[in-house]
Amino acid sequence: MGTMKSTHVADRVTAAALDLFATQGYATTSVQQIVEAAGVTKGAMYHYFQSKDDLLFAIYDRMLALQKAHLDEIVAAGGAAEDVVRAVCVDVVETSIDFLPEGTVFFRSMHMLAEPRLKEVTQRRREYHDEFAALLRRGQDEGVFRSDVPRSVLVAHFFSDVHYLSHWYSPEGPETKTEVAQQLTELFLRGIRTATAGTD
């Protein structure tokens, strides 16, 4: 069995699961319904995913892995703290919009994950947030970001906007994902800049 076929099965199962979780909910979706919708056997599915938990995790993992890869690339490219933070924020919003169905399904059902999986997700998200916080700290050290508000609050401020996207953003709406990403990022940066930064 070639690798082409294997990714094909995994992708079909993931797509079917995402669709079913979105339309009828994670709790009420059965493995049988997923394999029927994907047009594969249970055996084929279990080759990649041991459970519904694994599927829910995989749906989110794709987005998180991509965001982390982008973050690492942006940070590696270097530049002034504010420019790096701007690029990271724009990317987070754009990828969150690209993966809006995945994110929506995941955050709605995340509390139903088994403990080890939940721990893994929490750990991975924390790694991302820690790296983001480190960028904010660099900006604070450079005197461009305010230090009168704890960094954890600054991080929460931005990511709460990102999580709220699923409640209001529509790809059919008047604004492109890039416009929304730039607007949210600019609002965030304006809120965290020191009074003197950006005025010269």
Side-chain angles (χ1 to χ4, degrees), residues 26 53 110-120:
Y26 177 75
D53 254 27
M110 174 177 154
H111 63 282
M112 292 185 246
L113 278 176
E115 197 54 44
R117 272 296 192 217
L118 198 54
K119 274 209 175 91
E120 190 175 346

Side-chain angles (χ1 to χ4, degrees), residues 124-172:
R124 296 266 305 277
R125 279 169 55 99
R126 189 172 298 131
E127 282 168 17
Y128 189 97
H129 288 179
D130 286 351
E131 204 167 328
F132 187 79
L135 293 174
L136 297 182
R137 181 177 182 163
R138 238 186 74 199
Q140 288 174 330
D141 293 343
E142 289 174 20
V144 291
F145 296 154
R146 57 198 291 182
S147 315
D148 60 326
V149 176
R151 265 192 307 277
S152 57
V153 176
L154 299 180
V155 173
H157 170 45
F158 181 69
F159 285 96
S160 60
D161 275 355
V162 175
H163 291 315
Y164 196 65
L165 280 168
S166 65
H167 294 285
W168 70 272
Y169 181 79
S170 164
E172 285 80 51

Side-chain angles (χ1 to χ4, degrees), residues 25-152:
Y26 177 75
T28 51
T29 299
S30 69
V31 167
Q32 187 58 42
Q33 287 174 312
I34 295 168
V35 295
E36 278 172 15
V40 301
T41 62
K42 270 191 184 171
M45 179 194 134
Y46 285 130
H47 184 69
Y48 301 98
F49 308 104
Q50 307 295 291
S51 62
K52 272 198 329 182
D53 254 27
D54 279 0
L55 271 166
L56 184 60
F57 180 79
I59 285 168
Y60 182 61
D61 187 55
R62 277 180 59 196
M63 173 170 82
L64 195 59
L66 187 71
Q67 288 178 339
K68 182 76 170 76
H70 288 180
L71 174 69
D72 294 341
E73 279 167 30
I74 293 166
V75 171
E82 185 172 331
D83 295 333
V84 175
V85 170
R86 180 182 287 107
V88 169
C89 289
V90 166
D91 178 71
V92 170
V93 177
E94 287 186 338
T95 49
S96 295
I97 288 174
D98 284 338
F99 286 86
L100 210 55
E102 286 87 344
T104 307
V105 160
F106 182 78
F107 289 113
R108 209 168 53 200
S109 321
M110 174 177 154
H111 63 282
M112 292 185 246
L113 278 176
E115 197 54 44
R117 272 296 192 217
L118 198 54
K119 274 209 175 91
E120 190 175 346
V121 169
T122 309
Q123 174 61 36
R124 296 266 305 277
R125 279 169 55 99
R126 189 172 298 131
E127 282 168 17
Y128 189 97
H129 288 179
D130 286 351
E131 204 167 328
F132 187 79
L135 293 174
L136 297 182
R137 181 177 182 163
R138 238 186 74 199
Q140 288 174 330
D141 293 343
E142 289 174 20
V144 291
F145 296 154
R146 57 198 291 182
S147 315
D148 60 326
V149 176
R151 265 192 307 277
S152 57

Side-chain angles (χ1 to χ4, degrees), residues 89-90 93 97 157-158 161-162 164-165 168-169 177-190:
C89 289
V90 166
V93 177
I97 288 174
H157 170 45
F158 181 69
D161 275 355
V162 175
Y164 196 65
L165 280 168
W168 70 272
Y169 181 79
K177 67 175 183 187
T178 305
E179 285 171 333
V180 170
Q182 287 169 346
Q183 288 161 355
L184 286 178
T185 298
E186 212 36 66
L187 285 169
F188 174 63
L189 288 172
R190 198 173 295 170

